[in-house]
Amino acid sequence: HAGGSVSFYKDSVSATNLLATDTSISAGGTASITVSTGDALLLPAAGTAYSIVAAFNGDATNGNLNAVTSSSSSVTLTKRTPAVTVPNQSQPIGTTITLTATVTSGSASVSPDCSACVQFKVGALQSSAVAIGTPQNVASGTANLTGVTTGGGTGTFGSSGGYVIWAEYTANTNLNAASDSGNLTLAQPVDLTVSAPAIVQVNTAATLSAAVSPASAPGTVQFKVNGTNHGSPQTLSSGAASISWTPTA
């Protein structure tokens, strides 16, 4: 089989166009290379037809084979599909919050960073979701929409409850469009008051009580005695919950 080596180039044979060289030509005379593609590399962009030529560098020890350059072949790169992630978050109503999305390309040589390329939206269905603010930049794989106000009874996030947040990533030269959704929960602040008898006799049952405001708040109350859970969580009813406790010696 041929010895020597085969070098692969973009467009034409020159040092600046060298992609890589195969110095281990197979017994069948086949040469191949693995080439990294993406940002700032010789093959940087998807959707572009790149001309590739191969040059056999000759072999003076195995039949005195002369150097030769192939005709060109075309290689076109395809776009990658990035992964967008919107984390779930829970915040108290009435605060100013930040909506966040992360974008990864799946390749160290293809950056997802871009300008005004992530649009945040709110709505149960992506097809009918409403835009929140303007498209945001992606920097170091993260897009943030800051200064989102909540509470006040009006506006997009005027009331407590659950919201579905979408982040839509706009396609570019090397990456396809992609999206994801996460849940935003805006919780109504709750005040909790616990009461118990000031004096309780040993082996005599006493009632431990808890009251929450607003009284419409749902959920349960876990009572504790000296830092240890006492009984199971008690369901709130009209803002109140209670449990019996019998102290022992």
Side-chain angles (χ1 to χ4, degrees), residues 191-242:
D191 292 325
L192 174 64
T193 302
V194 178
S195 60
I199 300 175
V200 181
Q201 292 183 349
V202 173
N203 298 321
T204 300
T207 298
L208 307 179
S209 301
V212 299
S213 177
S216 59
T220 61
V221 173
Q222 175 64 65
F223 289 89
K224 293 188 176 185
V225 176
N226 293 329
T228 301
N229 287 348
H230 173 64
S232 59
Q234 302 299 298
T235 301
L236 286 166
S237 176
S238 299
S242 62

Side-chain angles (χ1 to χ4, degrees), residues 104-122:
T104 56
S105 70
S107 170
S109 60
V110 178
S111 172
D113 292 359
C114 49
S115 299
C117 54
V118 168
Q119 177 66 64
F120 288 93
K121 294 184 175 182
V122 58

Side-chain angles (χ1 to χ4, degrees), residues 20-107:
T21 298
D22 184 359
T23 58
S24 302
I25 301 174
S26 72
T30 298
S32 63
I33 59 171
T34 298
V35 180
S36 295
T37 62
D39 303 338
L41 299 174
L42 278 177
L43 307 180
T48 299
Y50 293 104
S51 176
I52 307 297
V53 296
F56 174 62
N57 300 313
D59 180 13
T61 62
N62 191 9
N64 292 317
L65 298 175
N66 294 324
V68 64
T69 300
S70 71
S71 58
S72 64
S73 294
S74 178
V75 172
T76 302
L77 305 177
T78 58
K79 291 185 178 184
R80 302 182 68 88
T81 298
V84 179
T85 303
V86 178
N88 297 330
Q89 61 172 315
S90 180
Q91 300 289 346
I93 190 79
T95 57
T96 299
I97 64 174
T98 297
L99 303 180
T100 298
T102 58
V103 185
T104 56
S105 70
S107 170

